Amino acid sequence: MHGLINKAVQSFFCHTYGAARWDRVVRAADIGVSDFEAMLVYDDEDSLKLLGAVCMELDRPEAEVLEDLGTFLVSHPQLESLRRLLRFGGVDYVEFLHSLDDLPDRVRLAVSDLILPPMELREHTSGLFTLTCASGPPGFGSVMVGLLRAMADDYGALVMLDHRGLQDGREVISVALVESAFGEGRSFELGAAS
């Protein structure tokens, strides 16, 4: 698994629950690594052991933990570059949703060896969408639910999200846009702050 994924799990856990609990997680996972490097590649089995140890430490289901990770990836100030990458997808939440088909390619431009599974957005009626994610890293759909929820907040939109599980080997997420201008979104400017 790409080191960025493991590093994201480490950052999320340490910022949210503290370094002492992280030490317990890595001891329980027994994978011989406690601090991950973003640009290395780690054994998939070790990454899954790590995620299992995180869930055991928190006594929470994997889907909930991964959804929180997705929210963290967008909302934490140290990860502003990811938020910026996502916000380039559109001026409002609907445009952002339509840009998700291109997200794997945009990510590859930033990190050439980080491969996200293909995604496809379908708009059924005005405000009702389905996002399907091809098979990828375990739990990718749950991470996407958290990311979609955090991006809705970022745009000031009110959405209802539901991870519908696997259908034909693809993870399916339903997105119902209740109101596109529900609240004030976070500010965003095209040019990076200097």
Side-chain angles (χ1 to χ4, degrees):
M1 191 142 329
H2 198 285
L4 273 174
I5 296 170
N6 290 346
K7 188 67 174 179
V9 171
Q10 178 183 352
S11 296
F12 158 68
F13 194 93
C14 289
H15 279 97
T16 308
Y17 301 103
R21 290 186 79 181
W22 177 251
D23 290 341
R24 287 199 302 260
V25 165
V26 294
R27 279 195 308 273
D30 192 28
I31 57 175
V33 180
S34 62
D35 189 30
F36 293 93
E37 294 295 328
M39 300 314 286
L40 295 180
V41 175
Y42 295 90
D43 184 79
D44 287 352
E45 197 169 306
D46 287 347
S47 298
L48 294 175
K49 284 182 189 176
L50 178 71
L51 180 58
V54 164
C55 294
M56 285 186 61
E57 173 69 23
L58 298 177
D59 193 24
R60 293 182 59 208
E62 182 179 294
E64 286 181 14
V65 171
L66 291 173
E67 187 176 328
D68 287 351
L69 171 63
T71 300
F72 174 84
L73 291 174
V74 172
S75 60
H76 196 275
Q78 288 184 339
L79 299 170
E80 181 68 17
S81 59
L82 177 58
R83 175 184 173 250
R84 290 187 61 72
L85 177 72
L86 294 170
R87 282 298 294 255
F88 278 117
V91 296
D92 61 24
Y93 193 69
V94 172
E95 283 187 19
F96 160 73
L97 287 174
H98 283 288
S99 76
L100 291 173
D101 293 355
D102 301 325
L103 184 60
D105 293 331
R106 282 188 282 146
V107 168
R108 248 191 324 278
L109 285 174
V111 184
S112 62
D113 58 343
L114 180 59
I115 309 298
L116 293 184
M119 292 179 250
E120 180 184 357
L121 183 81
R122 297 181 76 186
E123 186 169 1
H124 303 286
T125 62
S126 181
L128 186 59
F129 306 87
T130 301
L131 178 68
T132 57
C133 307
S135 61
F140 180 76
S142 296
V143 173
M144 284 302 297
V145 169
L147 187 141
L148 292 170
R149 190 177 319 281
M151 287 305 293
D153 290 345
D154 205 82
Y155 280 103
L158 177 62
V159 298
M160 293 174 47
L161 300 163
D162 183 29
H163 189 290
R164 301 219 168 171
L166 287 173
Q167 295 177 10
D168 299 323
R170 299 168 59 96
E171 291 187 84
V172 178
I173 302 165
S174 68
V175 181
L177 178 61
V178 177
E179 190 173 334
S180 60
F182 180 72
E184 187 175 336
R186 289 173 58 194
S187 66
F188 177 76
E189 293 182 25
L190 190 59
S194 53

